[in-house]
Amino acid sequence: MTASRVPDGPVHEPIALTVNDRPCSPAVDPDVPLLYVLRNDLGLKGTRFGCGLGLCGACTVLVDGQPRTSCDLPVGAVRGSRITTVDGLAGEDGLAPLQEAFVAGGAGQCGFCLSGILMAATALLTREPDPDDATIRSALEPNICRCGVQPRVLRAIRDVVEARRAKG
Ligand code: FES
Ligand code: FES
């Protein structure tokens, strides 16, 4: 009697993406959430899993510049898109100004929410370089922080806005 062979898993077509300015083509099930592909297939661990239901904002990434929760977004739905994660925020010169401001202002406690908040704030400051407090609050509304650092987050974003204003 010959041993039965374990069947191979399904073969998936590569899905073309650009992640943090690098083209890649993970061969994954198109129904798998983008978050899992980022973390498990591409090794980008900065984006966090919170609720898994699109409710907390911890997994927020930018898809073609727009903030999207990645836990409930099938990777097949973003084929061909430009994805930016918190892992891609820092440049060759170091942390992005928003990251610097968060560090300087102690805008974080456990830090679990911060990847998502940084991405939502990055999207905001790209589309609206000089937002008022109400606009900042509204942009961050989908991002929940259970540690209550929202006042410090607001201050850090304001610091970036004011530094930009000062530069003209
Ligand atoms: S983990 Fe995606 S919204 Fe909570
Ligand atoms: S710093 Fe802990 S959840 Fe926001």
Side-chain angles (χ1 to χ4, degrees):
M1 187 176 158
T2 54
S4 59
R5 193 166 163 270
V6 177
D8 293 333
V11 176
H12 298 291
E13 293 295 320
I15 296 177
L17 304 168
T18 301
V19 180
N20 297 335
D21 294 329
R22 290 195 183 146
C24 59
S25 299
V28 293
D29 181 342
D31 291 332
V32 167
L34 174 62
L35 174 61
Y36 300 169
V37 176
L38 293 171
R39 289 184 59 90
N40 302 338
D41 297 282
L42 302 180
L44 296 169
K45 305 287 189 188
T47 306
R48 300 274 166 73
F49 179 98
C51 64
L53 298 168
L55 299 173
C56 74
C59 63
T60 302
V61 298
L62 305 187
V63 177
D64 294 329
Q66 300 302 314
R68 299 282 302 269
T69 51
S70 58
C71 68
D72 57 350
L73 182 59
V75 66
V78 296
R79 195 185 296 270
S81 299
R82 197 166 38 85
I83 313 292
T84 310
T85 74
V86 72
D87 315 85
L89 279 190
E92 284 176 6
D93 299 336
L95 295 178
L98 259 177
Q99 291 173 304
E100 296 273 17
F102 274 54
V103 172
Q109 191 163 303
C110 77
F112 206 83
C113 64
L114 292 184
S115 304
I117 288 180
L118 279 164
M119 299 320 292
T122 297
L124 167 67
L125 295 187
T126 302
R127 71 173 180 269
E128 171 65 70
D130 194 1
D132 58 19
D133 283 1
T135 305
I136 299 172
R137 284 201 182 91
S138 155
L140 297 186
E141 183 70 34
N143 294 80
I144 292 170
C145 172
R146 63 189 169 193
C147 298
V149 299
Q150 292 90 340
R152 289 184 180 203
V153 165
L154 183 62
R155 215 173 303 135
I157 296 172
R158 254 196 235 128
D159 287 347
V160 172
V161 170
E162 281 165 16
R164 276 185 181 178
R165 255 190 230 141
K167 272 193 191 162

mmCIF file of all heavy atoms in Angstrom, residues 107-114 117 144-149, ligand 2:
data_model
loop_
_atom_site.group_PDB
_atom_site.id
_atom_site.type_symbol
_atom_site.label_atom_id
_atom_site.label_comp_id
_atom_site.label_asym_id
_atom_site.label_seq_id
_atom_site.Cartn_x
_atom_site.Cartn_y
_atom_site.Cartn_z
ATOM 1 N N ALA A 107 3.003 61.340 22.363
ATOM 2 C CA ALA A 107 1.630 61.058 21.899
ATOM 3 C C ALA A 107 1.450 59.557 21.706
ATOM 4 O O ALA A 107 1.339 59.067 20.587
ATOM 5 C CB ALA A 107 1.351 61.828 20.611
ATOM 6 N N GLY A 108 1.431 58.849 22.803
ATOM 7 C CA GLY A 108 1.232 57.404 22.740
ATOM 8 C C GLY A 108 1.426 56.812 24.115
ATOM 9 O O GLY A 108 2.194 57.357 24.914
ATOM 10 N N GLN A 109 0.701 55.747 24.377
ATOM 11 C CA GLN A 109 0.940 55.050 25.642
ATOM 12 C C GLN A 109 1.306 53.614 25.296
ATOM 13 O O GLN A 109 2.467 53.289 25.114
ATOM 14 C CB GLN A 109 -0.274 55.143 26.549
ATOM 15 C CG GLN A 109 0.037 54.673 27.963
ATOM 16 C CD GLN A 109 -0.996 55.137 28.951
ATOM 17 O OE1 GLN A 109 -1.250 56.333 29.089
ATOM 18 N NE2 GLN A 109 -1.610 54.180 29.635
ATOM 19 N N CYS A 110 0.315 52.745 25.097
ATOM 20 C CA CYS A 110 0.667 51.384 24.675
ATOM 21 C C CYS A 110 1.119 51.376 23.215
ATOM 22 O O CYS A 110 1.853 50.508 22.788
ATOM 23 C CB CYS A 110 -0.503 50.433 24.864
ATOM 24 S SG CYS A 110 -1.783 50.581 23.596
ATOM 25 N N GLY A 111 0.662 52.368 22.460
ATOM 26 C CA GLY A 111 1.089 52.501 21.065
ATOM 27 C C GLY A 111 0.298 51.669 20.072
ATOM 28 O O GLY A 111 0.556 51.744 18.870
ATOM 29 N N PHE A 112 -0.659 50.888 20.557
ATOM 30 C CA PHE A 112 -1.327 49.971 19.640
ATOM 31 C C PHE A 112 -2.086 50.679 18.525
ATOM 32 O O PHE A 112 -2.119 50.215 17.387
ATOM 33 C CB PHE A 112 -2.286 49.043 20.411
ATOM 34 C CG PHE A 112 -2.489 47.749 19.693
ATOM 35 C CD1 PHE A 112 -1.569 46.720 19.828
ATOM 36 C CD2 PHE A 112 -3.551 47.578 18.812
ATOM 37 C CE1 PHE A 112 -1.718 45.544 19.113
ATOM 38 C CE2 PHE A 112 -3.705 46.412 18.104
ATOM 39 C CZ PHE A 112 -2.793 45.385 18.252
ATOM 40 N N CYS A 113 -2.648 51.822 18.850
ATOM 41 C CA CYS A 113 -3.463 52.550 17.862
ATOM 42 C C CYS A 113 -2.634 53.409 16.919
ATOM 43 O O CYS A 113 -3.152 53.942 15.940
ATOM 44 C CB CYS A 113 -4.443 53.464 18.595
ATOM 45 S SG CYS A 113 -3.565 54.762 19.533
ATOM 46 N N LEU A 114 -1.353 53.597 17.271
ATOM 47 C CA LEU A 114 -0.609 54.698 16.635
ATOM 48 C C LEU A 114 -0.312 54.519 15.151
ATOM 49 O O LEU A 114 -0.253 55.499 14.419
ATOM 50 C CB LEU A 114 0.693 54.965 17.400
ATOM 51 C CG LEU A 114 0.504 55.546 18.802
ATOM 52 C CD1 LEU A 114 1.856 55.867 19.421
ATOM 53 C CD2 LEU A 114 -0.372 56.794 18.775
ATOM 54 N N ILE A 117 -3.378 55.776 13.482
ATOM 55 C CA ILE A 117 -3.539 57.224 13.663
ATOM 56 C C ILE A 117 -2.524 57.978 12.797
ATOM 57 O O ILE A 117 -2.862 58.981 12.155
ATOM 58 C CB ILE A 117 -3.396 57.599 15.154
ATOM 59 C CG1 ILE A 117 -4.639 57.120 15.917
ATOM 60 C CG2 ILE A 117 -3.185 59.092 15.328
ATOM 61 C CD1 ILE A 117 -4.632 57.417 17.404
ATOM 62 N N ILE A 144 -9.723 54.668 17.080
ATOM 63 C CA ILE A 144 -9.986 54.590 18.519
ATOM 64 C C ILE A 144 -8.673 54.412 19.275
ATOM 65 O O ILE A 144 -7.809 53.637 18.860
ATOM 66 C CB ILE A 144 -10.935 53.407 18.805
ATOM 67 C CG1 ILE A 144 -12.308 53.722 18.220
ATOM 68 C CG2 ILE A 144 -11.018 53.107 20.293
ATOM 69 C CD1 ILE A 144 -13.260 52.551 18.226
ATOM 70 N N CYS A 145 -8.540 55.166 20.372
ATOM 71 C CA CYS A 145 -7.394 54.973 21.271
ATOM 72 C C CYS A 145 -7.943 54.695 22.651
ATOM 73 O O CYS A 145 -8.556 55.559 23.265
ATOM 74 C CB CYS A 145 -6.498 56.207 21.296
ATOM 75 S SG CYS A 145 -5.218 56.071 22.571
ATOM 76 N N ARG A 146 -7.692 53.492 23.143
ATOM 77 C CA ARG A 146 -8.248 53.128 24.450
ATOM 78 C C ARG A 146 -7.428 53.719 25.589
ATOM 79 O O ARG A 146 -7.852 53.703 26.738
ATOM 80 C CB ARG A 146 -8.322 51.611 24.575
ATOM 81 C CG ARG A 146 -6.965 50.962 24.518
ATOM 82 C CD ARG A 146 -7.035 49.468 24.411
ATOM 83 N NE ARG A 146 -5.700 48.969 24.088
ATOM 84 C CZ ARG A 146 -5.439 47.755 23.685
ATOM 85 N NH1 ARG A 146 -6.416 46.903 23.537
ATOM 86 N NH2 ARG A 146 -4.221 47.371 23.423
ATOM 87 N N CYS A 147 -6.211 54.214 25.279
ATOM 88 C CA CYS A 147 -5.366 54.794 26.330
ATOM 89 C C CYS A 147 -5.646 56.276 26.550
ATOM 90 O O CYS A 147 -5.081 56.870 27.467
ATOM 91 C CB CYS A 147 -3.892 54.621 25.993
ATOM 92 S SG CYS A 147 -3.385 52.907 25.864
ATOM 93 N N GLY A 148 -6.435 56.876 25.698
ATOM 94 C CA GLY A 148 -6.814 58.276 25.898
ATOM 95 C C GLY A 148 -5.730 59.282 25.555
ATOM 96 O O GLY A 148 -5.622 60.323 26.200
ATOM 97 N N VAL A 149 -4.916 58.999 24.535
ATOM 98 C CA VAL A 149 -3.865 59.960 24.183
ATOM 99 C C VAL A 149 -4.323 60.992 23.139
ATOM 100 O O VAL A 149 -3.507 61.756 22.633
ATOM 101 C CB VAL A 149 -2.581 59.258 23.664
ATOM 102 C CG1 VAL A 149 -1.987 58.348 24.708
ATOM 103 C CG2 VAL A 149 -2.829 58.520 22.374
HETATM 104 S S1 FES B 2 -1.883 54.529 22.908
HETATM 105 FE FE1 FES B 2 -2.831 52.691 23.602
HETATM 106 S S2 FES B 2 -4.523 52.423 22.276
HETATM 107 FE FE2 FES B 2 -3.738 54.344 21.783
#
